[in-house]
Amino acid sequence: MYLPGLVVHADWGSSPQKRWMARATLQESNRYLAHTPAPVGEPSTLLHRLYTDAGPGGIVLLGFDFPIGLPARYADLAGINDFLDLLPLLGQGDWADFYTVAEEPVQISLHRPFYPHRSGHARQRHLLDGLGVATMTDLRRQCDLARPGRRPACPLFWTLGGQQVGKAAIAGWKEVLGSALRSGELDVAIWPFAGPLCGLFKPGRIIVAETYPAEVYTHLGVTFSKNKAGQKSGKRVQRDRAANAPRLLAWAATAQVELDPGLQVMLQDGFGASADGDDRFDATIGLFGMLNVVLGRQPPGDPEDERVRKIEGWILGQAYSGR
């Protein structure tokens, strides 16, 4: 099996300032060297930049931490049976309003499913009624459901609150994935829709996969302290990020992943005190999770269910299990 010469993880916020990517390059020693995170930059040129960086015949494995796929219940109602066929059509023709977030409940429809544009009097009931489903669980994919050590993910189409993922998905699908599939200029394969991961590594190809740093936390043993009275805690706190440095450095040594000096300093420092520290931390954690899969230390989680493979998608490295 070919190994990707370039492995990249993009922590993809809804605003450009919240988008950071971490990368690892395959060395002549056949070991990966992980680099310090950098801004993603212009989304529309991202794939071409990575293709150029990989060199002639190079393979790129690119992870995004936004949803790639649709809830099966929604797809049934909308008459969708293949996500890859639909993706390049979104934003055009019958799907022209798909990426336009509804401002009022009356605007919600199967062809305009994202809501709300702003808070105001928005309620989840508006979204459920507009899409014709009973509960928010109907708008979650199998990989979004709660797992041991991880709460359920926010449903794709709900775009309100700190946990929402809809606006990031809109930007990623519209500005990166959809346009790449329409143009056909690059050989882009999106896992798991294009097939099992091991069969996708082909010279000159970019393989895209969905990632979820919170899932990788469980693989790498990343933990955060619980709240103490009057103190913040979690990944947004520098000292809590820094407390995980020994585990992450030990993982790199065991996996034989080399770290450039700047990245090692960042890990020990908790990625600094600036507001983007948690973004750079998650970009790096996601990269380590992808390398875990590439190096055979964690199964990719190729789903067996056809509806998951063709419609819902899956999170790289998450063990597959049916509903």
Side-chain angles (χ1 to χ4, degrees), residues 86-236:
L86 175 71
L87 185 54
L89 304 178
L90 297 177
Q92 305 179 77
D94 292 341
W95 298 94
D97 294 328
F98 183 83
Y99 293 129
T100 304
V101 181
E103 299 185 22
E104 302 293 338
V106 70
Q107 297 173 326
I108 302 169
S109 72
L110 294 172
H111 284 78
R112 189 177 179 180
F114 290 96
Y115 176 82
H117 183 69
R118 58 180 63 86
S119 55
H121 300 290
R123 300 290 183 270
Q124 291 185 348
R125 185 76 255 167
H126 299 159
L127 183 63
L128 299 178
D129 291 344
L131 297 181
V133 298
T135 70
M136 293 299 274
T137 298
D138 289 329
L139 298 180
R140 287 188 173 96
R141 303 168 299 155
Q142 285 192 41
C143 59
D144 296 328
L145 301 177
R147 296 170 58 82
R150 204 190 81 194
R151 62 185 175 181
C154 184
L156 170 66
F157 297 130
W158 181 251
T159 56
L160 183 63
Q163 302 302 314
Q164 67 89 16
V165 294
K167 291 181 179 178
I170 289 173
W173 296 8
K174 183 179 181 180
E175 300 175 38
V176 182
L177 302 185
S179 59
L181 294 181
R182 278 195 302 274
S183 73
E185 295 176 5
L186 297 174
D187 181 2
V188 177
I190 303 180
W191 178 86
F193 308 98
L197 186 69
C198 66
L200 298 182
F201 294 122
K202 174 184 174 184
R205 173 175 283 173
I206 298 174
I207 302 100
V208 174
E210 178 183 345
T211 60
Y212 191 20
E215 171 69 22
V216 180
Y217 293 167
T218 64
H219 304 168
L220 302 183
V222 172
T223 59
F224 300 106
S225 63
K226 294 183 179 180
N227 268 324
K228 296 180 181 179
Q231 287 188 337
K232 294 181 178 179
S233 66
K235 71 170 185 176
R236 291 183 173 83

